Amino acid sequence: MLTLSFDLADATPNDRNYLRSMFERFGWKRLGGSVFRYKDENNDDWLNRVVPSIMFFRSFIVERDIHLKFFTIDANSTSFLDHSDEAIPLGVPPETGAGVQLEEPTNNQSSVGTIRDFIDAASNATR
């Protein structure tokens, strides 16, 4: 289980709502304000949901020149991927944008297509 919190000094309500929608699409649950919890009952999916959501957050605030006052992640879990035995693979392997499981947020401000494109663009940037 992860808890993430942040404070943005000069974000607009639209920016805050967009980030909320984005985190919810990746499976984070909003606890209030800008505090979110990620808890995947079956398997913490760090490579497909946790890491991309945090990278999207980073890219969003950098692109919009939003001042980040504080950012905290508290992790109370262990996540692992072990596909060494193909008969019993554990964990979810990295997916393309099209393959990442996304959730329905409380507001649809963040676009599914934009998030999927972002994931693919990050991969494409390593070429």
Side-chain angles (χ1 to χ4, degrees), residues 39-58:
K39 182 177 181 182
D40 185 348
E41 296 295 328
N42 301 320
N43 182 9
D44 287 341
D45 193 355
W46 280 78
L47 296 177
N48 291 311
R49 294 167 62 120
V50 175
V51 173
S53 62
I54 294 169
M55 189 63 188
F56 193 102
F57 171 81
R58 178 198 179 277

Side-chain angles (χ1 to χ4, degrees), residues 27-105:
W28 294 81
K29 303 298 180 224
R30 184 168 163 254
L31 301 180
S34 53
V35 179
F36 296 84
R37 176 161 294 143
Y38 182 83
K39 182 177 181 182
D40 185 348
E41 296 295 328
N42 301 320
N43 182 9
D44 287 341
D45 193 355
W46 280 78
L47 296 177
N48 291 311
R49 294 167 62 120
V50 175
V51 173
S53 62
I54 294 169
M55 189 63 188
F56 193 102
F57 171 81
R58 178 198 179 277
S59 300
F60 187 90
I61 65 171
V62 167
E63 176 63 24
R64 285 160 182 78
D65 197 27
I66 297 171
H67 176 70
L68 181 63
K69 288 174 60 176
F70 76 80
F71 178 82
T72 305
I73 296 178
D74 180 31
N76 293 325
S77 67
T78 301
S79 182
F80 63 92
L81 175 74
D82 182 356
H83 283 222
S84 56
D85 182 350
E86 292 182 23
I88 21 176
L90 301 172
V92 180
E95 295 282 352
T96 63
V100 171
Q101 178 187 349
L102 297 174
E103 307 294 331
E104 192 65 33

Side-chain angles (χ1 to χ4, degrees), residues 16-36:
R16 294 176 192 282
N17 287 336
Y18 191 94
L19 289 170
R20 172 182 168 187
S21 178
M22 178 275 299
F23 276 115
E24 289 175 347
R25 284 208 188 275
F26 279 108
W28 294 81
K29 303 298 180 224
R30 184 168 163 254
L31 301 180
S34 53
V35 179
F36 296 84

Side-chain angles (χ1 to χ4, degrees), residues 21 68 103 108 110 115 119 123:
S21 178
L68 181 63
E103 307 294 331
N108 285 318
S110 66
I115 289 173
I119 292 168
S123 299

